[in-house]
Amino acid sequence: MLSIKEVARLTGLSTATVSRALDPRYADRVKPSTREKILAVCDSADFRPDAAARSFVTGKSYKVGFISGSPASDCGNRIFGCFLQGVTFELQKNNYNLLLLGAHPDGEEQIINFLRSNVADAYILGNSLVTENVAEVISRCKAPVLMLEKQQSIPHALILRRNIRPAFEKIWKNIPVGLYDRVLFCSQPNVSSRYETAQECAPAGVKIPLLLLESGKEFPETRYLARQAALKQIDYLKKFKIFWCSSDLLALGVRDALEETTGQVAGKDFYLIGFDNMESMGQFYETPFLSTVDNRMEKMGEVAARMLLDTLQGVKTADCMDFSSVYIQRKSFPDIKTIQKENSMEKL
């Protein structure tokens, strides 16, 4: 059976060089031609270092457990999938793998059992799974635990949360004062917290109306249901000029309803702002159109993995980190202030 020592003998290289070439963390330190030579020998025997043997020697699993209350939703969600991709690739660069651990939303005991086991060296879980009892176990857990979107700190735990305020503040800077009273925030009922942030970022004295549009939870149906809900509110929608939406698919549904019933054109006669930057994820065949908030979920996943890896390696890291979203301006909500200024100059 092939081993690192045997590969070294067959290639005429040192075991240290072979070990580095086969380790994702250090492979870039080996000359490409040398690494190709090593891999050719390994591939001929379908050989790679035994992860189980490494775990036995070190006492580590080399796994980070992602505890999910709904594996079907988390893994099927294109946006959260970008987060998982970022986590996975960053871990794999460091010889770690992501382990999916499914727990029912009300399976408190199951979550606690995971945290008390040695099934993984570290864990990631969402805020909704952190009950009072789970939080108590986390505070005593020997393995690093990273919580997503948690607002209150827990002893010994890491927190990573999105900060959408910078993006929302930038959106307000792009809205002309004369249109403050023609802005409508459209939201699905389950994400109305984004409306609260938009209102908190609003200029003093400005109040944005909120319209809740029931548009389903699954991506394939969201745009269609958003259109249906918007059609029922079309007379109310006609009173506004800027539609700030809690998701891109909701924004596209509103666009469909308005263009269908009024003949107006988005980006010219009325304006749209979305959330999620889904058009850049390959969901659509058109050039991205929506001005939107990009949560940079893949990058956020990389940061989550890095926080845990640093902790596992004894490197000091921040216990709580805010990860800022960015605003992307596109045709659906262009630079209105500049357009208005140009139009005024033309009239002169």
Side-chain angles (χ1 to χ4, degrees):
M1 184 177 179
L2 208 60
S3 65
I4 288 179
K5 185 180 290 186
E6 181 65 9
V7 173
R9 186 187 69 79
L10 291 172
T11 57
L13 299 166
S14 68
T15 55
T17 298
V18 173
S19 181
R20 279 195 296 271
L22 297 176
D23 191 326
R25 295 172 297 176
Y26 311 116
D28 59 352
R29 301 180 187 179
V30 180
K31 287 195 305 184
S33 58
T34 301
R35 189 163 187 266
E36 287 176 11
K37 182 179 180 180
I38 293 168
L39 288 176
V41 172
C42 293
D43 291 347
S44 66
D46 291 326
F47 168 77
R48 287 298 184 274
D50 191 334
R54 183 165 55 113
S55 295
F56 179 77
V57 171
T58 63
K60 297 180 180 179
S61 69
Y62 293 96
K63 293 181 177 65
V64 169
F66 169 63
I67 303 176
S68 170
S70 178
S73 296
D74 287 338
C75 296
N77 184 313
R78 187 65 179 265
I79 298 166
F80 194 71
C82 291
F83 173 83
L84 294 177
Q85 179 167 290
V87 172
T88 300
F89 288 170
E90 186 64 25
L91 289 177
Q92 288 174 178
K93 290 178 188 175
N94 294 272
N95 276 337
Y96 269 83
N97 289 298
L98 188 67
L99 176 66
L100 176 62
L101 302 171
H104 295 293
D106 57 351
E108 181 182 78
E109 183 178 351
Q110 197 172 21
I111 296 168
I112 290 173
N113 288 339
F114 284 141
L115 295 172
R116 285 174 170 164
S117 73
N118 293 319
V119 69
D121 297 333
Y123 300 91
I124 300 173
L125 71 164
N127 177 48
S128 62
L129 299 179
V130 185
T131 63
E132 185 175 337
N133 289 332
V134 170
E136 183 181 349
V137 174
I138 289 175
S139 68
R140 303 196 309 270
C141 190
K142 295 179 181 178
V145 178
L146 184 143
M147 297 176 294
L148 299 174
E149 309 297 351
K150 183 70 175 173
Q151 298 303 310
Q152 296 81 26
S153 62
I154 295 175
H156 311 302
L158 303 173
I159 296 175
L160 180 61
R161 57 196 179 196
R162 286 176 294 178
N163 180 11
I164 62 176
R165 288 186 68 93
F168 278 29
E169 288 169 355
K170 190 169 182 179
I171 290 172
W172 273 114
K173 289 179 181 178
N174 289 332
I175 299 176
V177 176
L179 292 179
Y180 281 172
D181 60 350
R182 301 197 66 188
V183 179
L184 175 66
F185 198 98
C186 301
S187 175
Q188 296 157 289
N190 61 322
V191 288
S192 56
S193 60
R194 293 171 191 171
Y195 164 74
E196 295 169 4
T197 303
Q199 185 60 69
E200 290 169 3
C201 296
V206 176
K207 175 72 175 177
I208 329 169
L210 170 65
L211 177 64
L212 295 178
L213 296 173
E214 187 63 59
S215 53
K217 297 180 180 179
E218 299 299 325
F219 282 8
E221 65 185 11
T222 300
R223 180 173 181 174
Y224 171 77
L225 292 177
R227 170 185 166 275
Q228 294 294 94
L231 286 172
K232 295 177 182 178
Q233 301 284 347
I234 200 65
D235 290 335
Y236 182 65
L237 290 171
K238 290 177 183 177
K239 299 177 182 179
F240 298 92
K241 187 81 170 178
I242 299 174
F243 301 92
W244 190 341
C245 302
S246 62
S247 77
D248 285 351
L249 291 176
L250 186 65
L252 292 172
V254 169
R255 172 193 181 180
D256 294 341
L258 284 168
E259 290 189 341
E260 177 183 328
T261 57
T262 67
Q264 295 182 337
V265 178
K268 179 181 177 183
D269 303 307
F270 65 91
Y271 306 108
L272 290 166
I273 306 163
F275 190 98
D276 288 327
N277 195 24
M278 283 193 64
E279 288 180 305
S280 67
M281 297 180 192
Q283 292 278 37
F284 308 95
Y285 295 103
E286 304 170 356
T287 300
F289 168 77
L290 279 174
S291 293
T292 187
V293 173
D294 184 359
N295 290 305
R296 304 186 295 149
M297 294 299 286
E298 184 167 351
K299 184 64 180 178
M300 186 175 176
E302 292 175 11
V303 171
R306 192 69 261 163
M307 290 174 72
L308 287 172
L309 288 168
D310 285 347
T311 302
L312 287 167
Q313 293 163 8
V315 178
K316 180 62 179 176
T317 185
D319 292 336
C320 181
M321 185 178 296
D322 285 339
F323 186 80
S324 294
S325 303
V326 297
Y327 173 60
I328 299 176
Q329 190 172 56
R330 298 193 181 111
K331 291 183 178 179
S332 73
F333 183 50
D335 188 344
I336 302 176
K337 292 181 179 180
T338 299
I339 294 173
Q340 289 181 337
K341 187 176 181 180
E342 291 174 350
N343 290 339
S344 298
M345 292 297 290
E346 288 177 5
K347 291 179 181 179
L348 293 175

